[in-house]
């Protein structure tokens, strides 16, 4: 059960490079406002890019959270100043407004922080000069994301145990001389666990390197990997790389050791929680692109059925794909 209690928007002024603080909260009696804030919360919670972490009590940002329930507006001003100070010193970070909301989620107090990056959009301007009415097109450079658009950075923090969920993007930081996850490393001053998407990417890269080391057919191994990941998420609610290794390599300990080495080197989180709902449609199909330009998309439950599809290794080293028992073909033009 979600209950939004407070919300405030602080603005980044492009003309002065300074924040414009709000001294009063947003009007939550408007239905569209409630819907917009809820959509921002869901963009964090329902993303396969979402990462989890826990702030230590001595963390600077955690100390700021100590006053947010009693003095919501002033506390969010301090948080805004901290983030905008990072933005001002690093021009590669897109300017944005900051939306804060305090809400209850299943009777647990939470704080949501959402960075609403600006985008350009055309609008009209009606001018009246020298008794001539003229309609003009102008560029508005501070358009905020709509309810349906993605956001790059945002977090939801449990105010009781300081656990948080975050989505973020790397940007170039001048003093580091490289791109980093500044939202967590500089703003929250913490390093979260990898996201579901990052963990799956680590598994995929480890499988590819292992296949290359042992001259295995990569497309078949990756297809088996995808099937094993989906099975692990559905049955175990996590991704266990050792179970995936057992599925792929059985008793071949040389391949297993190579796979374990690659996975650990990439920073994979063992048995990371994985919600099936976050898998999305791309995890429901096996997709292949052949070197002759043909692309195949096979439902994952049919891929292993020999009565439906078969991959045949030919004596000349090529591979044939046999699609079987087709009763009807529909053109998707």
């Amino acid at each position: 059960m979600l209950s939004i209690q407070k919300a405030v928007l602080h603005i980044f002024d492009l003309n002065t490079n300074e924040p414009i603080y709000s001294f009063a909260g947003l009007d939550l009696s408007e239905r569209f406002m409630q819907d917009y804030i809820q959509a921002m919360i869901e963009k964090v919670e329902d993303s396969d890019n979402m990462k989890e972490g826990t702030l230590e009590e001595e963390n600077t940002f955690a100390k700021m959270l100590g006053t947010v329930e009693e003095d919501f507006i002033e506390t969010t001003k301090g948080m805004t100043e901290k983030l905008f100070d990072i933005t001002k010193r690093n021009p590669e970070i897109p300017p944005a407004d900051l939306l804060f909301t305090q809400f209850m989620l299943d009777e647990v107090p939470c704080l949501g922080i959402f960075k609403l990056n600006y985008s350009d959009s055309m609008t009209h301007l009606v001018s009246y000069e020298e008794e001539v009415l003229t309609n003009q097109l102008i560029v508005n450079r501070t358009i905020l994301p709509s309810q349906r658009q993605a956001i790059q950075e945002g977090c939801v923090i449990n105010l009781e145990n300081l656990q948080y969920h975050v989505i973020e993007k790397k940007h170039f930081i001048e003093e580091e001389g490289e791109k980093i996850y500044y939202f967590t490393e500089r703003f929250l001053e913490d390093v979260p666990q990898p996201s579901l998407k990052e963990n799956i990417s680590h598994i995929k890269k480890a499988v590819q390197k292992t296949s290359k080391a042992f001259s295995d057919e990569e497309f078949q191994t990756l297809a088996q990997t995808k099937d094993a990941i989906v099975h692990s998420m559905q049955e175990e609610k996590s991704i266990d790389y050792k179970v995936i290794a057992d599925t792929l390599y059985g008793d071949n300990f040389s391949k297993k050791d190579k796979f374990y080495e690659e996975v650990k080197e990439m920073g994979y989180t063992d048995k990371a929680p994985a919600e099936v709902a976050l898998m999305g449609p791309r995890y429901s199909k096996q997709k292949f692109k052949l070197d002759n330009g043909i692309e195949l998309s096979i439902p994952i439950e049919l891929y292993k059925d020999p009565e439906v599809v078969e991959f045949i290794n030919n004596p000349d080293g090529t591979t044939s794909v046999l699609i079987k028992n087709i009763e009807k073909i529909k053109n998707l033009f």
Side-chain angles (χ1 to χ4, degrees):
M1 180 69 179
L2 175 66
S3 174
I4 300 169
Q5 299 174 317
K6 304 173 185 175
V8 67
L9 183 73
H10 298 303
I11 297 173
F12 185 76
D13 189 344
L14 290 173
N15 296 317
T16 65
N17 235 24
E18 294 293 336
I20 301 176
Y21 297 117
S22 178
F23 288 80
L26 295 169
D27 183 3
L28 297 179
S29 65
E30 297 284 355
R31 186 65 212 176
F32 83 88
M33 190 67 67
Q34 294 266 351
D35 292 343
Y36 187 83
I37 293 171
Q38 182 172 338
M40 295 301 112
I41 295 170
E42 291 171 353
K43 288 181 191 305
V44 174
E45 295 295 320
D46 298 341
S47 171
D48 60 0
N49 283 312
M50 182 266 286
K51 299 185 282 190
E52 299 181 356
T54 302
L55 298 174
E56 299 291 337
E57 290 186 5
E58 296 305 311
N59 174 289
T60 303
F61 194 86
K63 291 179 180 178
M64 298 177 77
L65 291 171
T67 59
V68 72
E69 292 186 85
E70 294 76 23
D71 202 347
F72 177 70
I73 299 293
E74 287 302 316
T75 302
T76 60
K77 285 182 187 178
M79 294 174 177
T80 299
E81 182 179 8
K82 182 177 183 180
L83 186 59
F84 283 178
D85 184 58
I86 298 170
T87 301
K88 286 188 295 183
R89 291 184 282 108
N90 297 282
E92 296 250 341
I93 300 176
D97 291 348
L98 274 185
L99 173 64
F100 294 85
T101 182
Q102 185 180 328
F103 61 96
M104 300 292 289
L105 183 61
D106 297 329
E107 300 184 0
V108 176
C110 298
L111 177 72
I113 307 172
F114 311 103
K115 184 170 178 281
L116 308 178
N117 291 348
Y118 301 146
S119 62
D120 295 351
S121 186
M122 302 298 294
T123 188
H124 64 251
L125 174 69
V126 180
S127 63
Y128 194 80
E129 296 181 8
E130 298 180 359
E131 300 184 358
V132 177
L133 187 149
T134 307
N135 295 330
Q136 302 281 4
L137 281 175
I138 62 171
V139 179
N140 188 329
R141 301 194 179 280
T142 56
I143 299 298
L144 302 181
S146 72
Q147 190 171 316
R148 295 180 179 83
Q149 287 177 298
I151 57 173
Q152 290 185 354
E153 288 104 5
C155 68
V156 171
I157 305 171
N158 182 320
L159 295 176
E160 287 188 348
N161 58 21
L162 300 182
Q163 291 181 355
Y164 66 88
H165 294 165
V166 63
I167 57 173
E168 58 180 342
K169 184 177 180 179
K170 285 185 175 181
H171 285 290
F172 186 84
I173 300 299
E174 298 281 350
E175 56 196 78
E176 295 287 342
E178 62 179 344
K179 290 185 176 182
I180 67 170
Y181 286 118
Y182 77 93
F183 192 87
T184 49
E185 294 182 31
R186 293 299 181 86
F187 181 52
L188 299 183
E189 299 182 27
D190 194 58
V191 179
Q193 295 181 348
S195 67
L196 168 61
K197 191 173 182 178
E198 287 173 328
N199 275 323
I200 290 175
S201 177
H202 293 333
I203 291 287
K204 178 183 175 181
K205 289 177 181 177
V207 168
Q208 288 174 316
K209 289 187 175 183
T210 305
S211 295
K212 186 175 182 179
F214 290 89
S215 302
D216 290 340
E217 192 67 73
E218 183 180 292
F219 84 90
Q220 290 181 331
T221 308
L222 285 178
Q224 293 171 346
T225 303
K226 193 172 189 178
D227 187 53
I229 288 173
V230 171
H231 178 77
S232 180
M233 292 170 73
Q234 290 174 332
E235 299 298 323
E236 307 297 331
K237 309 302 181 189
S238 67
I239 302 176
D240 188 336
Y241 76 98
K242 291 185 179 180
V243 171
I244 291 171
D246 288 338
T247 302
L248 296 178
Y249 308 120
D251 293 330
N252 191 322
F253 296 106
S254 296
K255 289 184 179 180
K256 277 187 176 180
D257 289 343
K258 175 63 175 174
F259 175 72
Y260 292 154
E261 176 188 329
E262 296 294 343
V263 162
K264 290 178 181 178
E265 188 175 319
M266 292 177 191
Y268 174 80
T269 301
D270 187 22
K271 295 187 178 180
E275 294 292 333
V276 179
L278 301 183
M279 290 192 299
R282 66 180 177 275
Y283 295 111
S284 66
K285 299 179 185 297
Q286 297 281 10
K287 295 188 177 183
F288 305 92
K289 185 173 183 179
L290 314 186
D291 61 3
N292 59 11
I294 294 174
E295 296 185 15
L296 299 176
S297 178
I298 305 170
I300 202 163
E301 67 272 13
L302 299 179
Y303 169 73
K304 294 191 296 183
D305 188 345
E307 297 301 315
V308 176
V309 62
E310 183 179 357
F311 290 85
I312 303 169
N313 294 318
N314 300 318
D316 62 0
T318 62
T319 302
S320 296
V321 183
L322 181 60
I323 309 296
K324 305 178 182 179
N325 301 319
I326 301 169
E327 295 183 2
K328 186 178 180 181
I329 297 177
K330 183 178 180 180
N331 191 308
L332 298 178
F333 177 72

